[in-house]
Amino acid sequence: QRTIPTAFSVPSSSSSSNSESVPAPLKLKNLLESEMNGTRKDPTPILLPCCYDGLTARLVARNGFEATFMTGFGVSGANGYPDTQL
């Protein structure tokens, strides 16, 4: 099974590796820069599942995705509010 590094650290019971010590924003910056300049080694597209709260962000990370994104509509809808387009 292939291990995919995540764009943000998730605490685990295993010993931490050097890649987990890199801050999440820097991991994401490096991932996007490597994609833009063509130095990313993985030929598959970067999949960005949507998260709408802390729990779904952790689920995304634990399932091996490199990054995630968040939308105002997802957060509003998950909490029972309309999207006001602000």
Side-chain angles (χ1 to χ4, degrees), residues 41-77:
K41 292 177 177 55
D42 192 350
T44 59
I46 299 172
L47 299 178
L48 297 169
C50 182
C51 67
Y52 48 86
D53 60 12
L55 175 62
T56 55
R58 287 196 178 249
L59 291 172
V60 167
R62 287 183 180 166
N63 281 286
F65 290 95
E66 295 177 280
T68 185
F69 75 99
M70 184 177 233
T71 68
F73 176 74
V75 174
S76 297

Side-chain angles (χ1 to χ4, degrees), residues 10-82:
V10 176
S12 64
S13 58
S14 64
S15 63
S16 62
S17 66
N18 189 30
S19 66
E20 288 181 4
S21 63
V22 177
L26 184 57
K27 283 185 184 181
L28 181 58
K29 178 182 181 246
N30 293 340
L31 174 67
L32 296 177
E33 282 180 350
S34 67
E35 180 67 24
M36 294 299 290
N37 65 25
T39 59
R40 186 169 166 258
K41 292 177 177 55
D42 192 350
T44 59
I46 299 172
L47 299 178
L48 297 169
C50 182
C51 67
Y52 48 86
D53 60 12
L55 175 62
T56 55
R58 287 196 178 249
L59 291 172
V60 167
R62 287 183 180 166
N63 281 286
F65 290 95
E66 295 177 280
T68 185
F69 75 99
M70 184 177 233
T71 68
F73 176 74
V75 174
S76 297
N79 291 295
Y81 296 106

